[in-house]
Amino acid sequence: MAKMVTFGRPPQMFPDLPGASDPVKVAETLLYHLFPPTPPPPPLLRLTHHTDYIPLTSEEISRALSKSSITSAPGSDHIPYSVWKSVHRLKPSLLPSLLDPLLAHGFHPPSLKKALGIVLDKPGKPSYDSPSSFWVIVLLRTLSKILEWVVASRLSAEATICSLIYPLQCGSLPGRSTADAALVLQYNVESFHRLCYKVPTLFLEVQGGFDKVDSLSLLYLLCKRGASPYLVQWVGSFLRDRTCHLTFQRSPRFFAPVSVGVTQGSPISPLLFVIYVSSLHLEIPRSLIISYLDDFAVTVASPSYRTNVRLLQKSFASLKRKASPINISFSVPKTELIHRRTTRTNELQ
């Protein structure tokens, strides 16, 4: 649908918002709702060539392009990945020479930070007079996403070395998929059951997700854990001064400044979010916290259900205390609790 809108097919519903008498007002109202204001990132440092920088290679660009589908909708420049793949095949040195100075100086230019926001109506709504009746698909410029893939790969390689992530965090990391998270949870539950413990799991989802990331706290964490200075500076440049053009019926053609936590649709955003919430993996006795991006699973074990309830309450209270300073909260409607029972448990009762 986003690709069809990009190439000229308008969305079905026009937002009819109270107090928004023309398309410009509609765009401003939607922008405020979809990109709520966040604290501004720190000012850019003076650009210098970092001595720790390792030059880009054509192989890194090839790996980034291999993750890019030619059917993906392009951003505001309307350049599909097929163009860059052809360019790289004909002249492998061109893209590294274009992108290398940006990463070497830790700088992401404003021209690559112009996003296209496709506004789509949520199906089944009784009316479309509220911004909450719409959602947005953010399309980024393909050249920017190639560089973002490269940075994500380099930062991922440093994540374990610099303890940027917790061992039980999954998602956006090599070898840590949904299946890995499920297998770790299953193994620990079965281990507790062999001890004749009762084992419940509380499933939590971070409310707001990527929008809640505070860029200053994220950059401080990267610096504190020893990430490469050129990557830290590039991330700071990437997150600030972003603009977006919303596309809907009769939408005005202008790019407006937007506040973002980490950018929706970016290859590096999931990794930055995982790093940002790594501190929520607390070491709590008889508890296990596993996460996949913004989904957390808190598992406890004890001989009784009553004790488990107390343990879960204590674990959740600790999570909330740790999450509050970094502006993270959990969605109550999406919270679920599972009490697992085995055949042996039923026989004992």
Tab-separated table of all heavy atoms in Angstrom, residues 184-204:
chain	number	residue	atom	x	y	z
A	184	VAL	N	15.029	-20.219	24.793
A	184	VAL	CA	15.598	-19.916	26.116
A	184	VAL	C	14.513	-19.956	27.186
A	184	VAL	O	14.700	-20.531	28.272
A	184	VAL	CB	16.285	-18.530	26.101
A	184	VAL	CG1	16.659	-18.103	27.522
A	184	VAL	CG2	17.533	-18.562	25.239
A	185	LEU	N	13.356	-19.370	26.873
A	185	LEU	CA	12.246	-19.376	27.831
A	185	LEU	C	11.774	-20.803	28.097
A	185	LEU	O	11.567	-21.196	29.259
A	185	LEU	CB	11.098	-18.522	27.297
A	185	LEU	CG	9.855	-18.424	28.192
A	185	LEU	CD1	10.213	-17.853	29.554
A	185	LEU	CD2	8.784	-17.568	27.522
A	186	GLN	N	11.621	-21.598	27.031
A	186	GLN	CA	11.164	-22.976	27.194
A	186	GLN	C	12.147	-23.792	28.030
A	186	GLN	O	11.737	-24.566	28.912
A	186	GLN	CB	10.978	-23.619	25.824
A	186	GLN	CG	10.505	-25.070	25.889
A	186	GLN	CD	10.386	-25.701	24.512
A	186	GLN	OE1	10.646	-25.070	23.499
A	186	GLN	NE2	9.988	-26.959	24.480
A	187	TYR	N	13.432	-23.635	27.766
A	187	TYR	CA	14.445	-24.392	28.512
A	187	TYR	C	14.384	-24.068	30.007
A	187	TYR	O	14.425	-24.971	30.858
A	187	TYR	CB	15.833	-24.078	27.965
A	187	TYR	CG	16.957	-24.661	28.783
A	187	TYR	CD1	17.325	-25.996	28.657
A	187	TYR	CD2	17.648	-23.867	29.706
A	187	TYR	CE1	18.349	-26.540	29.426
A	187	TYR	CE2	18.673	-24.403	30.478
A	187	TYR	CZ	19.012	-25.735	30.334
A	187	TYR	OH	20.023	-26.267	31.106
A	188	ASN	N	14.284	-22.780	30.332
A	188	ASN	CA	14.262	-22.399	31.744
A	188	ASN	C	12.980	-22.845	32.434
A	188	ASN	O	13.021	-23.267	33.602
A	188	ASN	CB	14.443	-20.885	31.869
A	188	ASN	CG	15.897	-20.448	31.708
A	188	ASN	OD1	16.658	-20.443	32.656
A	188	ASN	ND2	16.266	-20.082	30.490
A	189	VAL	N	11.855	-22.769	31.735
A	189	VAL	CA	10.594	-23.227	32.329
A	189	VAL	C	10.665	-24.722	32.619
A	189	VAL	O	10.276	-25.190	33.707
A	189	VAL	CB	9.420	-22.905	31.384
A	189	VAL	CG1	8.155	-23.621	31.847
A	189	VAL	CG2	9.175	-21.406	31.341
A	190	GLU	N	11.169	-25.509	31.666
A	190	GLU	CA	11.271	-26.955	31.876
A	190	GLU	C	12.253	-27.283	33.001
A	190	GLU	O	12.048	-28.243	33.753
A	190	GLU	CB	11.692	-27.629	30.577
A	190	GLU	CG	10.610	-27.583	29.503
A	190	GLU	CD	11.067	-28.177	28.178
A	190	GLU	OE1	12.270	-28.509	28.068
A	190	GLU	OE2	10.230	-28.316	27.260
A	191	SER	N	13.321	-26.487	33.121
A	191	SER	CA	14.272	-26.705	34.215
A	191	SER	C	13.613	-26.478	35.566
A	191	SER	O	13.820	-27.249	36.522
A	191	SER	CB	15.481	-25.782	34.054
A	191	SER	OG	16.171	-26.042	32.856
A	192	PHE	N	12.801	-25.423	35.666
A	192	PHE	CA	12.085	-25.155	36.923
A	192	PHE	C	11.052	-26.249	37.203
A	192	PHE	O	10.856	-26.648	38.355
A	192	PHE	CB	11.399	-23.793	36.857
A	192	PHE	CG	12.331	-22.620	37.005
A	192	PHE	CD1	12.258	-21.539	36.132
A	192	PHE	CD2	13.275	-22.593	38.008
A	192	PHE	CE1	13.108	-20.454	36.262
A	192	PHE	CE2	14.133	-21.506	38.149
A	192	PHE	CZ	14.055	-20.440	37.268
A	193	HIS	N	10.390	-26.744	36.166
A	193	HIS	CA	9.394	-27.790	36.366
A	193	HIS	C	10.032	-29.072	36.892
A	193	HIS	O	9.419	-29.805	37.689
A	193	HIS	CB	8.660	-28.075	35.047
A	193	HIS	CG	7.560	-27.107	34.767
A	193	HIS	ND1	7.051	-26.889	33.509
A	193	HIS	CD2	6.853	-26.279	35.590
A	193	HIS	CE1	6.087	-25.993	33.562
A	193	HIS	NE2	5.958	-25.598	34.811
A	194	ARG	N	11.257	-29.363	36.464
A	194	ARG	CA	11.927	-30.569	36.959
A	194	ARG	C	12.220	-30.472	38.457
A	194	ARG	O	12.400	-31.486	39.128
A	194	ARG	CB	13.223	-30.794	36.178
A	194	ARG	CG	12.981	-31.377	34.778
A	194	ARG	CD	14.284	-31.906	34.183
A	194	ARG	NE	15.187	-30.827	33.842
A	194	ARG	CZ	15.208	-30.217	32.655
A	194	ARG	NH1	14.354	-30.593	31.706
A	194	ARG	NH2	16.062	-29.257	32.405
A	195	LEU	N	12.261	-29.237	38.955
A	195	LEU	CA	12.438	-29.027	40.403
A	195	LEU	C	11.099	-28.977	41.137
A	195	LEU	O	11.056	-28.651	42.328
A	195	LEU	CB	13.198	-27.725	40.647
A	195	LEU	CG	14.633	-27.664	40.093
A	195	LEU	CD1	15.207	-26.258	40.252
A	195	LEU	CD2	15.522	-28.690	40.764
A	196	CYS	N	10.023	-29.286	40.392
A	196	CYS	CA	8.654	-29.269	40.939
A	196	CYS	C	8.207	-27.863	41.347
A	196	CYS	O	7.415	-27.697	42.290
A	196	CYS	CB	8.529	-30.230	42.127
A	196	CYS	SG	8.842	-31.950	41.686
A	197	TYR	N	8.765	-26.836	40.668
A	197	TYR	CA	8.333	-25.464	40.909
A	197	TYR	C	7.154	-25.127	40.007
A	197	TYR	O	6.996	-25.682	38.918
A	197	TYR	CB	9.466	-24.480	40.621
A	197	TYR	CG	10.519	-24.386	41.706
A	197	TYR	CD1	11.702	-23.684	41.474
A	197	TYR	CD2	10.341	-24.979	42.946
A	197	TYR	CE1	12.675	-23.587	42.459
A	197	TYR	CE2	11.313	-24.890	43.922
A	197	TYR	CZ	12.473	-24.193	43.680
A	197	TYR	OH	13.435	-24.102	44.644
A	198	LYS	N	6.345	-24.194	40.480
A	198	LYS	CA	5.295	-23.609	39.654
A	198	LYS	C	5.881	-22.380	38.961
A	198	LYS	O	6.569	-21.585	39.592
A	198	LYS	CB	4.085	-23.244	40.514
A	198	LYS	CG	3.440	-24.477	41.154
A	198	LYS	CD	2.332	-24.084	42.102
A	198	LYS	CE	1.625	-25.326	42.629
A	198	LYS	NZ	2.517	-26.245	43.362
A	199	VAL	N	5.570	-22.226	37.669
A	199	VAL	CA	6.289	-21.238	36.853
A	199	VAL	C	5.308	-20.372	36.045
A	199	VAL	O	4.772	-20.815	35.037
A	199	VAL	CB	7.273	-21.932	35.881
A	199	VAL	CG1	8.156	-20.891	35.198
A	199	VAL	CG2	8.106	-22.976	36.596
A	200	PRO	N	5.069	-19.125	36.479
A	200	PRO	CA	4.299	-18.184	35.664
A	200	PRO	C	5.219	-17.215	34.912
A	200	PRO	O	6.376	-17.011	35.298
A	200	PRO	CB	3.476	-17.430	36.698
A	200	PRO	CG	4.392	-17.382	37.885
A	200	PRO	CD	5.237	-18.622	37.849
A	201	THR	N	4.713	-16.646	33.829
A	201	THR	CA	5.445	-15.627	33.071
A	201	THR	C	4.543	-14.428	32.835
A	201	THR	O	3.386	-14.579	32.421
A	201	THR	CB	5.919	-16.180	31.716
A	201	THR	OG1	6.820	-17.264	31.932
A	201	THR	CG2	6.642	-15.102	30.916
A	202	LEU	N	5.068	-13.249	33.115
A	202	LEU	CA	4.364	-11.995	32.874
A	202	LEU	C	4.924	-11.382	31.594
A	202	LEU	O	6.124	-11.113	31.492
A	202	LEU	CB	4.561	-11.040	34.053
A	202	LEU	CG	3.857	-9.685	33.978
A	202	LEU	CD1	2.348	-9.853	34.032
A	202	LEU	CD2	4.327	-8.772	35.109
A	203	PHE	N	4.044	-11.157	30.603
A	203	PHE	CA	4.451	-10.587	29.327
A	203	PHE	C	4.106	-9.100	29.302
A	203	PHE	O	2.960	-8.714	29.531
A	203	PHE	CB	3.764	-11.303	28.161
A	203	PHE	CG	4.220	-12.728	27.988
A	203	PHE	CD1	3.529	-13.768	28.595
A	203	PHE	CD2	5.360	-13.025	27.241
A	203	PHE	CE1	3.954	-15.083	28.451
A	203	PHE	CE2	5.787	-14.333	27.088
A	203	PHE	CZ	5.086	-15.370	27.687
A	204	LEU	N	5.114	-8.274	29.003
A	204	LEU	CA	4.960	-6.825	29.014
A	204	LEU	C	5.388	-6.252	27.670
A	204	LEU	O	6.257	-6.807	26.992
A	204	LEU	CB	5.825	-6.202	30.115
A	204	LEU	CG	5.623	-6.715	31.546
A	204	LEU	CD1	6.773	-6.261	32.426
A	204	LEU	CD2	4.293	-6.220	32.099
